[in-house]
Amino acid sequence: MVVTPMDNYALWQCFILAILIALCESTTGVRNTSYGRVRGKIEETALPGRDVESYLGIPFAKPPVGHLRFESPKPPEPWYPRIRDALKFSSYCTQSHGDRRYIKDISPNHAASLKSSEDCLYLNIYTPVTKTAGLLPVMVYIHGGSNAVGTGAMRDGSILAAFGNIVVVTLNYRLAELGFLGLGEEDFPGNYGLLDQIAALRWVKENIKHFNGDPDKVTAVGHSAGANDVGLHLVSPYGKGLFRYAILMSGSPMMPYASTKLEKRLRTKIRENLSTLGCSLKDALRVKNCLKKISVDAFLTAANFPCELYSGIADNNYISDTGQVLLQSAPINAQAVMVGITKDEVNDFSKNAVFVQFLLFERIRPKSY
C-alpha cells in the first residue's frame, strides 16, 4: 500500500481533530434531565483543585408568552434526542424598570450581556467536580429586587458550590405586573411569579440527583423580596415536600407588602389601570384574555399599577390568607428555618417584623417532616 502526501495530510487532520475533541470533552460535562440531556462546562475556581460544573439556562417551564401569559407555569417541552447546550445565561425576565440598574449594581459583568424577554423561565446549576461518594446538599437561591427587578444570574453560584461543597441553583421568575398582577379570583388569581418559583423547586426535586444533588436535602434561600417569597412557600400547600430547610435574609412573610388580600382600595387602583389599557371588563377571564393581546412594551409603558401589588395574593389556592396570619396558623413546610437581618436594615419596622417572625417560628415548632 502506497501512502501519498494527501493521505498523510488526512491522517494529520484526523489526529488534530481527535485532540480537539478530547480537549473539548475535558472542559464540558453532559448530564441527564427528565426532558433531555444538557451540556455544561467545567470551570476553575479560586479554590485550588475544586473545579465546578456549571449548567446555565436550563428551561424549567414553557415560555410564558402568548396564551400562556398570566397562566400557571407549564412543564417544558422535552428536547430528546439532542443534547441541549447549557453554556450561557438566559434572558432575564421582563421587568417594570426597563434599565438594568439593579442587575448592574450587583453584577456589572452580567448586565452588559443579558437581555430582557418574557421567555425567561430558566435556571442555572453549579455542582462541584468531586469524587466524594453520595449526593450533596442543595441550595436553591431566589433573588431579591422587590419582585420587580433582578435575575438569578446576578449571583455566581460557582464560588459557594466549590467552597461549601454543595450544589447551587439560581433561577428566574416572572416579575412586576407580568408575575404578580391578578384579581385573586379563580380565572385570574395572580401569584404567577411565586408559582414559577414552585415550578423551579419541583424541577429541582425531580432532576437534581442527575447533578450530584440530594433531592431530600434542599434548602430554599431568599434575599429581600426573595425571602418574603420563601416565607410564603413555607406556609403554602404548594411548598410542601419541595425543600427541607429555609433561610430568609432581610425579608419576612410578616411584612405587610409580602402578601395582600386585595382589599377594595387596591382593587379600585387595579381597575383604574386596567381601564387605561383598554381592559376594563367586569369578568376576570375576559380581563386576562384582553391583557394577553397587548404587546409587552405597550403593557409596561401604559401600566401604572401600585408596587404593593408585587406580592402574594390570598387567592384561596396558593395561599388562603396573608403571610402574617398563616405564619401563626398554618403548618410550616420545613424542618428548620433560619432568619436574619443586617445591622443597618431598611427600618425598625422590618427589624421588628423579622423578630416577630423568629418568635413565631420558635412557638410553632414544625412537625416532623
Side-chain angles (χ1 to χ4, degrees):
M1 176 179 176
V2 178
V3 178
T4 66
M6 186 60 68
D7 292 327
N8 281 327
Y9 179 71
L11 288 171
W12 273 108
Q13 280 188 316
C14 291
F15 179 68
I16 293 172
L17 180 61
I19 292 175
L20 291 174
I21 290 174
L23 288 173
C24 181
E25 289 179 344
S26 69
T27 57
T28 63
V30 175
R31 300 273 184 167
N32 291 321
T33 76
S34 300
Y35 304 93
R37 291 186 293 170
V38 291
R39 178 184 291 110
K41 54 187 175 182
I42 300 174
E43 301 177 287
E44 294 182 352
T45 68
L47 188 62
R50 293 306 304 272
D51 296 344
V52 168
E53 294 180 43
S54 62
Y55 298 85
L56 312 177
I58 302 176
F60 64 84
K62 286 183 179 178
V65 300
H67 71 282
L68 292 181
R69 182 192 285 179
F70 296 121
E71 298 290 350
S72 298
K74 304 297 187 292
E77 293 288 348
W79 53 86
Y80 282 114
R82 69 184 180 91
I83 299 176
R84 181 188 180 99
D85 282 337
L87 304 173
K88 61 181 182 180
F89 293 114
S90 69
S91 299
Y92 60 84
C93 289
T94 304
Q95 26 206 274
S96 54
H97 305 295
D99 59 68
R100 308 171 185 179
R101 284 175 295 176
Y102 185 68
I103 299 174
K104 186 176 181 180
D105 286 345
I106 294 177
S107 182
N109 294 334
H110 289 157
S113 60
L114 297 178
K115 296 182 179 180
S116 169
S117 174
E118 277 192 271
D119 179 5
C120 62
L121 298 186
Y122 300 83
L123 54 77
N124 315 299
I125 301 175
Y126 306 85
T127 184
V129 177
T130 176
K131 296 180 180 179
T132 304
L135 300 175
L136 301 175
V138 180
M139 187 190 94
V140 178
Y141 175 78
I142 297 176
H143 71 78
S146 301
N147 284 336
V149 293
T151 174
M154 296 184 301
R155 305 295 186 184
D156 183 356
S158 63
I159 304 300
L160 186 56
F163 278 77
N165 199 35
I166 61 173
V167 178
V168 177
V169 180
T170 64
L171 59 101
N172 294 341
Y173 57 96
R174 281 174 283 182
L175 300 164
E177 290 85 359
L178 291 171
F180 292 86
L181 178 60
L183 296 175
E185 301 176 19
E186 182 179 357
D187 289 327
F188 194 10
N191 295 326
Y192 304 109
L194 293 165
L195 294 175
D196 292 341
Q197 297 170 17
I198 291 292
L201 286 164
R202 285 176 178 158
W203 192 98
V204 168
K205 186 76 173 179
E206 180 182 1
N207 291 282
I208 204 64
K209 60 182 179 294
H210 299 302
F211 299 83
N212 291 345
D214 190 338
D216 294 324
K217 292 183 180 179
V218 174
T219 300
V221 179
H223 162 248
S224 190
N228 297 349
D229 298 345
V230 171
L232 294 179
H233 299 330
L234 280 169
V235 294
S236 167
Y238 280 69
K240 184 174 177 57
L242 296 182
F243 51 91
R244 191 171 184 177
Y245 311 110
I247 299 175
L248 285 65
M249 184 63 203
S250 299
S252 165
M254 295 296 293
M255 302 293 188
Y257 51 80
S259 55
T260 179
K261 272 192 167 183
L262 281 188
E263 296 176 350
K264 183 177 180 180
R265 175 187 60 83
L266 194 53
R267 285 182 178 274
T268 300
K269 288 185 177 182
I270 292 173
R271 289 292 183 183
E272 289 173 355
N273 282 281
L274 289 174
S275 179
T276 65
L277 291 165
C279 297
S280 183
L281 305 165
K282 291 184 178 180
D283 180 77
L285 181 59
R286 292 176 65 193
V287 169
K288 182 173 70 173
N289 289 335
C290 177
L291 292 172
K292 289 181 180 183
K293 298 174 183 177
I294 301 174
S295 73
V296 67
D297 290 335
F299 179 81
L300 292 179
T301 299
N304 188 29
F305 295 92
C307 290
E308 59 190 298
L309 183 65
Y310 303 162
S311 60
I313 296 175
D315 61 353
N316 291 315
N317 185 29
Y318 170 73
I319 49 174
S320 59
D321 211 317
T322 64
Q324 294 169 303
V325 172
L326 292 175
L327 197 58
Q328 301 176 65
S329 59
I332 305 298
N333 298 323
Q335 280 190 354
V337 179
M338 179 186 293
V339 295
I341 55 176
T342 62
K343 177 184 177 182
D344 298 312
E345 201 60 77
V346 178
N347 53 42
D348 288 338
F349 177 79
S350 63
K351 291 181 181 179
N352 290 337
V354 174
F355 180 67
V356 170
Q357 170 181 268
F358 174 77
L359 293 179
L360 288 171
F361 280 132
E362 282 294 298
R363 184 167 60 84
I364 308 171
R365 292 284 184 179
K367 297 178 182 179
S368 59
Y369 213 67

